[in-house]
Amino acid sequence: MSRERITLFDTTLRDGAQTNGVDFSVADKILIAGLLDELGVDYVEGGYPGANPTDTRFFTEKRTARARFTAFGMTKRAGVSLSNDPGIAALLASQSDAICFVAKTWDHQVRLALGATLEENVEGIRQSVEAAIGAGKEALVDCEHFFDGYKANPAYALACARAAFEAGARWIVLCDTNGGSQPEEIEAIVRAVSEHVPGDHLGIHAHNDTEQAVANSLAAVRGGARQIQGTLNGIGERCGNANLTSIIPTLMLKPLYAGRFETGISEAALTGLTQLSHRFDEIVNRAPNRQAPYVGASAFATKAGIHASAIVKDPSTYEHVRPEQVGNHRRVLVSDQAGRSNLLAELARLGISVEKGDRRLDALLAEVKEREAIGYSYEGADASFELLARRTLGGVPDYFTVESFHVTVERRHNALGEQVSVSEAVVKLIVGGERLLTVAEGNGPVNALDRALRKDLGVYQDVIADLELVDYKVRILNGGTEAVTRVLIESRDDTGESWMTIGVSENVVDASFEALIDSIIYKLVRSGIRSG
Ligand SMILES: CC(=O)SCCNC(=O)CCNC(=O)[C@H](O)C(C)(C)COP(=O)(O)OP(=O)(O)OC[C@H]1O[C@@H](n2cnc3c(N)ncnc32)[C@H](O)[C@@H]1OP(=O)(O)O
Ligand SMILES: CC(=O)C(=O)O
């Protein structure tokens, strides 16, 4: 049975640019358009030429090789002729394959926001579409507020959609602009509209204000629409747009859709989805959402002991698709929610072999749970867990002993009379029978301690020379005067690999020191140094 084609229209660079906190440069846009093109979406909407210098510059060249490069803009303004409308002129002059016009389709908004008559607006839609086609471009029309407009005045909303279609627009995109519609409403309205405009000319543009943008997009497909608009990671105005990073795998991996529909995305490209999602977050400088469906770090992470026990027997017990299909991977976490199965899975991943019946596993599990009760959290501190496991199972050499450390923080005036804060750390270690004393300054107590520790580690100095601290996070637990501090440190070496260590204490410097020491010991273990 041949499958129907779903067209994917990406608006990351246009509606995504309307996200609070996102600000693309031309270079960002070029990079992202290339990534979207490689992914295989059918349209890349690049922005709004004429609205700002970035978008105007972006549209001086075609930026995609495969996808239709699409410019966005308003339909002709009321009271201005087409040839005198600078917005239309900028759209027609852009190096785009297609123009997506935003048109008002809610009678109330036409009167209020445009100050135009209902007829003038319909005529503006018609003329704008004809102008795009006359300039050799494909025309699409985003019917703004379509669902709210249809509920208020179905005849007028339909008249706008029909005018766009009759003027030659390839796609009539029904927009849930305010994002308040529910899937049942979307499906019913799209089905009703498809009696007037064929479904293979209908698209959906859903906003996420009730967390239904993905569900609404799929409901529109069930109602007959065959184009879905959305963005990478669901960015967009207010609460965002339909998340293509979720919609694409759902269309491709869920039999309900995959049996009936196909997209332009290949299975190979689908396996790059997790990487693409994270790369995009990096470009826009946002922390990836760990709980994002399919691509989040937690999407295939199992914490509960009972789940882990089943998942090691058969992953499908708690996974709805295979993580590799979207380029993600399975993680079994160790925490106070864990059982022996979590431990065994994590130890196997670390290459530590231990029998299921080994009594030391009970000791390790009890130790993890006791430590978590006082503030440790091992699911985010893989290296500290590995050290704890190796110690319990008998395998970490005593590389060195910390005799003492001492840190001072001094605020003073420098030679220019400016106030500066200087921290100094003194660390006394015994390494290979030799007593070492190191002193270092830093811009804070933890920085000073880190420098002092790594300044001279005797026989191990060469091994830790490429170790660097890349992130430092402090969390105060319990609050109040009884507060306990949890410190997480991320370290890295020249191999490019990074690891997380943890320290917990009532004193932030003490907690930091513990995490720093774990990081150094972990580096020695992973470098294969076997004797202390
Ligand atoms: C639902 C959506 O997401 S639509 C996305 C819209 N995107 C953006 O607005 C981002 C980029 N926008 C901009 O840079 C600016 O708003 C511009 C350059 C487009 C226009 O700026 P200005 O000329 O200063 O107008 P302003 O933004 O204040 O108002 C928009 C005008 O367009 C009119 N208008 C709005 N929608 C439409 C439409 N679909 N068709 C025709 N005219 C429209 C409004 O009535 C208003 O006209 P008025 O100035 O006579 O009241
Ligand atoms: C066009 C658009 O972004 C909207 O109506 O939401």
Side-chain angles (χ1 to χ4, degrees):
M1 191 186 90
S2 75
R3 294 181 297 166
E4 284 184 77
R5 183 71 154 72
I6 298 285
T7 296
L8 296 173
F9 181 108
D10 183 280
T11 179
T12 302
L13 299 176
R14 196 281 294 173
D15 209 315
Q18 297 167 218
T19 312
N20 192 346
V22 166
D23 183 15
F24 297 121
S25 63
V26 174
D28 292 337
K29 286 200 163 201
I30 292 172
L31 182 60
I32 294 163
L35 295 172
L36 289 166
D37 212 17
E38 255 172 59
L39 174 65
V41 295
D42 301 290
Y43 290 80
V44 170
E45 190 175 51
Y48 195 151
N52 59 67
T54 302
D55 285 9
T56 302
R57 216 170 307 135
F58 187 54
F59 276 95
T60 54
E61 278 177 49
K62 177 164 155 60
R63 306 289 185 179
T64 54
R66 292 196 314 193
R68 286 185 198 188
F69 188 47
T70 307
F72 173 91
M74 297 186 284
T75 50
K76 179 187 91 62
R77 288 194 192 224
V80 178
S81 72
L82 197 71
S83 53
N84 280 328
D85 188 321
I88 297 285
L91 287 171
L92 298 181
S94 68
Q95 292 302 307
S96 59
D97 303 311
I99 296 176
C100 183
F101 292 105
V102 56
K104 300 246 184 254
T105 56
W106 184 355
D107 58 354
H108 166 65
Q109 296 256 359
V110 172
R111 293 193 188 99
L112 178 91
L114 300 187
T117 66
L118 300 188
E119 295 72 26
E120 277 173 329
N121 181 49
V122 172
E123 187 51 25
I125 295 173
R126 199 184 300 280
Q127 286 187 21
S128 305
V129 169
E130 285 169 357
I133 294 169
K137 297 181 191 290
E138 182 181 312
L140 300 87
V141 174
D142 272 0
C143 295
E144 196 188 6
H145 292 118
F146 187 84
F147 294 93
D148 295 324
Y150 187 91
K151 287 174 218 168
N153 183 345
Y156 186 68
L158 268 176
C160 295
R162 261 205 315 257
F165 180 61
E166 284 161 9
R170 169 66 188 86
W171 291 101
I172 315 302
V173 183
L174 311 182
C175 302
D176 186 31
T177 305
N178 294 2
S181 299
Q182 297 304 299
E184 294 78 1
E185 298 172 298
I186 298 274
E187 184 174 344
I189 293 175
V190 172
R191 187 162 289 124
V193 175
S194 69
E195 305 274 311
H196 304 268
V197 175
D200 59 1
H201 287 266
L202 286 179
I204 177 75
H205 175 109
H207 277 272
N208 204 29
D209 300 67
T210 68
E211 193 83 329
Q212 303 272 23
V214 169
N216 281 344
S217 303
L218 297 171
V221 169
R222 290 195 300 278
R226 293 294 175 261
Q227 184 195 98
I228 298 179
Q229 297 201 348
T231 56
L232 286 176
N233 295 345
I235 67 166
E237 183 98 38
R238 300 185 311 278
C239 309
N241 280 93
N243 186 353
L244 285 183
T245 322
S246 298
I247 288 176
I248 290 170
T250 296
L251 287 174
M252 294 178 70
L253 300 177
K254 294 292 159 189
L256 182 67
Y257 298 103
R260 268 189 73 190
F261 303 111
E262 60 184 356
T263 69
I265 315 281
S266 67
E267 280 178 23
L270 185 64
T271 64
L273 196 66
T274 299
Q275 198 192 1
L276 170 64
S277 164
H278 293 184
R279 179 89 197 278
F280 176 69
D281 278 331
E282 246 171 54
I283 297 169
V284 291
N285 202 17
R286 284 158 62 110
N289 173 6
R290 301 183 72 81
Q291 290 193 302
Y294 297 104
V295 296
S298 301
F300 299 96
T302 290
K303 188 162 168 178
I306 292 171
H307 298 183
S309 154
I311 226 165
V312 293
K313 292 171 188 150
D314 174 1
S316 73
T317 49
Y318 286 93
E319 287 173 0
H320 68 114
V321 295
R322 284 187 294 113
E324 312 81 60
Q325 291 177 293
V326 290
N328 208 335
H329 63 272
R330 177 173 311 125
R331 294 168 63 222
V332 179
L333 307 176
V334 173
S335 72
D336 62 353
Q337 303 293 314
R340 294 159 66 89
S341 302
N342 301 65
L343 283 187
L344 282 165
E346 183 60 2
L347 292 173
R349 192 186 69 80
L350 296 173
I352 302 174
S353 104
V354 50
E355 292 297 318
K356 194 173 178 187
D358 192 321
R359 302 299 299 268
R360 292 174 303 171
L361 279 178
D362 294 331
L364 177 57
L365 194 56
E367 176 88 15
V368 166
K369 293 196 178 201
E370 271 163 32
R371 283 172 163 257
E372 293 232 341
I374 58 169
Y376 288 84
S377 174
Y378 284 104
E379 62 179 275
D382 50 353
S384 286
F385 169 73
E386 183 170 340
L387 291 180
L388 184 68
R390 288 189 185 279
R391 280 186 187 117
T392 310
L393 301 169
V396 180
D398 288 330
Y399 296 111
F400 56 84
T401 310
V402 179
E403 208 176 71
S404 66
F405 74 84
H406 175 89
V407 191
T408 55
V409 180
E410 187 188 356
R411 180 170 278 214
R412 62 174 182 234
H413 289 92
N414 66 12
L416 300 170
E418 297 158 339
Q419 258 200 0
V420 288
S421 170
V422 180
S423 298
E424 187 184 76
V426 179
V427 178
K428 290 181 193 165
L429 301 172
I430 307 214
V431 189
E434 192 189 354
R435 191 157 182 270
L436 300 172
L437 182 146
T438 51
V439 182
E441 282 191 344
N443 54 20
V446 176
N447 182 236
L449 263 178
D450 176 43
R451 287 183 174 188
L453 267 171
R454 291 193 290 117
K455 197 168 176 181
D456 183 5
L457 202 62
V459 290
Y460 305 121
Q461 188 56 30
D462 285 351
V463 184
I464 66 158
D466 63 344
L467 173 67
E468 60 169 330
L469 190 154
V470 287
D471 199 9
Y472 173 79
K473 288 194 192 95
V474 177
R475 179 147 174 224
I476 309 295
L477 309 166
N478 296 334
T481 49
E482 299 290 307
V484 168
T485 307
R486 175 194 292 158
V487 167
L488 279 165
I489 284 180
E490 184 178 357
S491 309
R492 187 172 52 201
D493 64 14
D494 279 354
T495 64
E497 278 186 48
S498 65
W499 58 90
M500 301 290 297
T501 51
I502 192 167
V504 172
S505 167
E506 286 160 10
N507 179 306
V508 64
V509 176
D510 205 42
S512 307
F513 190 76
E514 185 186 357
L516 285 171
I517 291 285
D518 258 14
S519 172
I520 290 172
I521 295 176
Y522 181 76
K523 166 71 176 164
L524 295 174
V525 170
R526 77 185 236 107
S527 303
I529 310 295
R530 293 281 166 251
S531 61

